Amino acid sequence: MEAASFEKSNLSVDRPERLSGHEIEGAVQDALARTQCVDMHTHLYPAAFGKIGLWGIDELLTYHYLEAEFFRHSSMTPEDYWRVSKRAQAEAIWKTLFVENTPLSEATRGVIAVLKAFGLPTEAPDLSEARAFFAEQSAEAHINNVLRMAGVSTVVMTNDPLDPEEMPVWMKDVKSDPRFQPVLRLDRILCEWSDPWEQLVSHGYDVDNRASAVCISEIRRFLSDWCRRMRPIYMAVSLPDTFQFPADTPQGILLREAVLPSCREFDLPLSLMIGVRRQVNPRIRLAGDAVGRADLQSLETLCHQYPENRFLVSVLSRENQHELCVYARKFNNLMPFGCWWFLNNPSIVEEITRERIEMLGTSFIPQHSDARVLEQLIYKWQNTRRTLAPILAGSYRLLVEDGRDVTRQDIQRDVDKLLRSNFEKWIGHGFSAS
Ligand code: FIX
Ligand code: ZN
């Protein structure tokens, strides 16, 4: 499916014709092409955030998905790799994964798709032409271009209020860009409490490492301050495969006594991304995280005991997908989303999405990009549209076979739900699709 053409197609959607089997695929592709996505989880930033917003060829090639593959092929040690410049790292990765090997993996094919989208060579021996092209781009204009090419109207960020690079940007009251929506990310507070509590003390919050009663009310104050400063559309945390709730730990107490109540106070969903095993190989840094199967009974308890809270949930382990679907059938305060990280491969996205349609109809959010580099939006959403089209068309054909006709309106309504309005409804407000 061509990435660029999101202009209004000449196929009118107001004629409720009943589609024949072979027209369905075309109508699905058209609806997917014309619908601007809301990308509900990324690590992207608008131009006003400066250098923490990653884009360009060196960032594309030093993406941790590619670093993981590079260390499999290269004799270069991680220690040697971290000693050289980002430019040299990018050159080494291009040479190893794109020149000396065929870029067949999902992540390497992604870089090829981006180069093609900008009309850049995909088989060059070096990066000089690509580097010259990206050097000519201005951040603002490039962002406009990439969002248009990717068919994405709104990007949801991941904002860590305790990140030493990001916090000062918020304290400076940064100019907001409505296409980039903030999220209050709480991993440092909920997963690494032994570290940041002193940082909060230095910011004037009377907290301690025991999560005492005083500490809890101070965390509530911290969350309120940041909700007023950042205006997040949800709060979020990634959790290990060992996550247990309830638990008499700082994590369990802060989640129960501070985060869940604050989410209710500010009417914000809580996003739980469950199943990551952080840093199983710290030598390769961001590429060193892995996956583990989680016990999802904690999720059952959360949804059951806190019906007033809305949960956005993504699980990293393939083995947890079915349980998540079943829990979503039990609790309407649970919205499954995305094929996260190691699951974001067409063969697995297909499996997960088919199962979700069979068990949940259109009441889920099929994908988020998790883009860390701006141009990744182009290939990640191209892949998602390409993978979704035959799955949706197959479901509609089964519906026709079972005795109910399908119209373009049906398809457009469902695609709109899957790519944007399910999420908009869950957070309680819409975004412009212009
Ligand atoms: O926790 C997360 O938000 C993960 O998506 C990241 O930590 C991870 O590094 C990533 O980029 C996955 O795609
Ligand atoms: Zn992420």
Side-chain angles (χ1 to χ4, degrees):
M1 179 179 296
E2 284 309 310
S5 63
F6 289 97
E7 276 68 33
K8 190 154 183 44
S9 79
N10 57 12
L11 292 168
S12 70
V13 295
D14 52 19
R15 202 182 63 223
E17 75 203 82
R18 305 187 177 284
L19 299 170
S20 64
H22 72 273
E23 286 175 323
I24 287 176
E25 181 102 22
V28 169
Q29 283 181 346
D30 186 38
L32 287 167
R34 72 171 54 240
T35 307
Q36 304 273 300
C37 306
V38 173
D39 191 344
M40 48 82 62
H41 173 64
T42 77
H43 298 267
L44 301 176
Y45 297 91
F49 280 67
K51 65 177 178 36
I52 57 175
L54 307 181
W55 59 280
I57 193 66
D58 291 331
E59 298 298 345
L60 278 169
L61 286 168
T62 55
Y63 181 37
H64 67 83
Y65 289 33
L66 293 172
E67 288 173 334
E69 295 174 30
F70 171 74
F71 291 122
R72 290 191 55 69
H73 289 279
S74 176
S75 56
M76 191 178 197
T77 66
E79 291 69 28
D80 290 343
Y81 174 84
W82 301 122
R83 263 191 284 278
V84 302
S85 69
K86 184 164 282 279
R87 185 186 176 108
Q89 292 170 345
E91 297 286 353
I93 290 181
W94 180 256
K95 183 164 168 289
T96 305
L97 298 182
F98 295 83
V99 178
E100 293 167 357
N101 287 284
T102 311
L104 282 182
S105 71
E106 193 266 347
T108 51
R109 277 192 293 106
V111 173
I112 297 296
V114 170
L115 293 173
K116 180 175 170 235
F118 289 110
L120 293 165
T122 60
E123 300 172 48
D126 63 42
L127 300 170
S128 48
E129 198 172 334
R131 199 163 271 126
F133 167 80
F134 286 104
E136 281 160 19
Q137 311 307 312
S138 78
E140 204 55 76
H142 193 51
I143 287 172
N144 300 347
N145 213 8
V146 169
L147 290 178
R148 183 186 55 72
M149 293 165 77
V152 172
S153 69
T154 312
V155 158
V156 179
M157 302 186 279
T158 296
N159 308 100
D160 177 353
L162 297 174
D163 178 279
E165 278 193 292
E166 186 173 347
M167 183 205 270
V169 183
W170 287 103
M171 296 314 229
K172 270 191 320 214
D173 206 11
V174 63
K175 191 169 100 23
S176 73
D177 177 336
R179 298 168 305 171
F180 290 78
Q181 293 288 324
V183 156
L184 192 52
R185 182 76 179 234
L186 303 173
D187 289 40
R188 286 179 206 249
I189 289 178
L190 286 176
C191 301
E192 307 150 23
W193 182 241
S194 53
D195 289 348
W197 70 273
E198 274 142 332
Q199 198 185 349
L200 274 104
V201 171
S202 69
H203 288 280
Y205 296 95
D206 182 13
V207 296
D208 56 56
N209 63 350
R210 292 171 290 103
S212 66
V214 174
C215 173
I216 288 164
S217 62
E218 282 294 274
I219 292 289
R220 292 284 311 264
R221 183 166 71 87
F222 170 83
L223 294 173
S224 303
D225 290 349
W226 276 93
C227 281
R228 293 195 183 91
R229 180 177 297 121
M230 188 190 275
R231 303 204 168 289
I233 59 173
Y234 64 79
M235 294 191 196
V237 62
S238 72
L239 296 160
D241 55 332
T242 53
F243 169 63
Q244 287 291 331
F245 186 89
D248 204 14
T249 59
Q251 177 185 78
I253 296 165
L254 291 175
L255 182 55
R256 186 182 66 229
E257 306 291 342
V259 175
L260 291 171
S262 286
C263 283
R264 293 193 295 273
E265 178 189 349
F266 289 93
D267 191 23
L268 295 175
L270 177 62
S271 170
L272 304 171
M273 305 176 81
I274 308 171
V276 56
R277 296 176 66 76
R278 297 286 179 190
Q279 296 301 279
V280 298
N281 180 358
R283 293 175 65 207
I284 58 176
R285 302 187 185 173
L286 273 182
D289 296 338
V291 56
R293 180 176 179 172
D295 170 0
L296 293 188
Q297 280 197 28
S298 301
L299 185 58
E300 178 186 322
T301 308
L302 280 165
C303 292
H304 185 61
Q305 288 185 0
Y306 300 95
E308 309 307 319
N309 284 91
R310 302 189 304 287
F311 298 98
L312 288 159
V313 179
S314 204
V315 285
L316 191 53
S317 161
R318 196 177 183 174
E319 291 69 29
N320 278 142
Q321 302 306 322
H322 188 63
E323 292 160 272
L324 178 63
C325 270
V326 173
Y327 278 130
R329 292 170 61 87
K330 310 302 146 196
F331 301 106
N332 66 0
N333 60 340
L334 166 52
M335 173 62 84
F337 77 90
C339 302
W340 183 24
W341 202 345
F342 309 115
L343 301 169
N344 193 358
N345 295 298
S347 61
I348 305 176
V349 172
E350 213 177 298
E351 173 192 302
I352 294 172
T353 307
R354 276 187 199 291
E355 178 180 44
R356 286 174 174 172
I357 288 177
E358 288 158 359
M359 296 179 76
L360 305 173
T362 54
S363 66
F364 66 98
I365 299 169
Q367 193 56 296
H368 62 277
S369 73
D370 230 321
R372 280 182 174 272
V373 182
L374 179 70
E375 299 87 353
Q376 290 171 343
L377 290 173
I378 294 170
Y379 80 83
K380 288 186 184 247
W381 283 106
Q382 180 173 301
N383 286 356
T384 296
R385 288 183 169 96
R386 182 164 59 189
T387 305
L388 273 184
I391 298 171
L392 286 174
S395 303
Y396 289 119
R397 271 197 291 274
L398 287 175
L399 179 59
V400 171
E401 234 173 79
D402 291 342
R404 161 122 174 212
D405 285 337
V406 173
T407 67
R408 286 181 197 289
Q409 281 100 322
D410 296 333
I411 296 174
Q412 186 59 60
R413 175 191 58 194
D414 298 339
V415 166
D416 192 75
K417 278 185 178 180
L418 293 169
L419 295 188
R420 50 179 318 115
S421 57
N422 280 348
F423 176 67
E424 292 173 317
K425 219 165 126 224
W426 202 254
I427 58 164
H429 65 83
F431 305 109
S432 81
S434 56

